[in-house]
Amino acid sequence: MMLIFQNTAAAEAMSEEEMGVLQNEAGEIWQELVKTGEWVSGAGLASPSQAKAIRVRGGVAAVTDGPFSEAKEQLAGICVFETETLERAVEIAQRWPDARYWGVELREVLGEAEG
């Protein structure tokens, strides 16, 4: 799984044209992964300002507005793809446009939830 991070303020400061270029690049990589059969799923996430953070301490739940962490870069989306090698996954992540502006992180998905 590739976690995509963005600095919300920096992303909002980008022009429509700049954001369009970024989205088109990501779309081209997505189409490539669909064609190669490596794409599994993915989605963008709503703004961190719409998040609810939940922490339970001593059996008492605290629900607060905003993201869980107070970092400048927040999780903006996920892509799930299946590659033959870790090197291929790294190659895809290096090409993802958000990696040039903010960052992406690769994590292996362990097992599947049973439904």
Side-chain angles (χ1 to χ4, degrees), residues 51-82:
K52 296 288 184 197
I54 295 94
R55 293 175 178 88
V56 179
R57 301 294 184 268
V60 178
V63 180
T64 57
D65 291 337
F68 178 75
S69 68
E70 298 200 16
K72 289 183 182 179
E73 293 181 353
Q74 297 290 330
L75 186 61
I78 62 166
C79 295
V80 180
F81 45 84
E82 190 171 346

Side-chain angles (χ1 to χ4, degrees), residues 74-94:
Q74 297 290 330
L75 186 61
I78 62 166
C79 295
V80 180
F81 45 84
E82 190 171 346
T83 60
E84 293 284 326
T85 64
L86 176 60
E87 291 78 15
R88 171 68 175 145
V90 169
E91 184 266 327
I92 293 165
Q94 289 172 336

Side-chain angles (χ1 to χ4, degrees), residues 24-110:
N24 287 338
E25 281 185 64
E28 289 172 9
I29 297 169
W30 169 73
Q31 289 176 1
E32 172 191 323
L33 297 175
V34 169
K35 286 179 185 173
T36 63
E38 295 171 302
W39 182 258
V40 176
S41 68
L45 300 175
S47 168
S49 66
Q50 297 178 353
K52 296 288 184 197
I54 295 94
R55 293 175 178 88
V56 179
R57 301 294 184 268
V60 178
V63 180
T64 57
D65 291 337
F68 178 75
S69 68
E70 298 200 16
K72 289 183 182 179
E73 293 181 353
Q74 297 290 330
L75 186 61
I78 62 166
C79 295
V80 180
F81 45 84
E82 190 171 346
T83 60
E84 293 284 326
T85 64
L86 176 60
E87 291 78 15
R88 171 68 175 145
V90 169
E91 184 266 327
I92 293 165
Q94 289 172 336
R95 292 175 43 216
W96 202 265
D98 295 86
R100 289 194 313 271
Y101 294 94
W102 304 288
V104 299
E105 181 179 323
L106 291 173
R107 296 238 190 136
E108 183 178 355
V109 176
L110 303 174

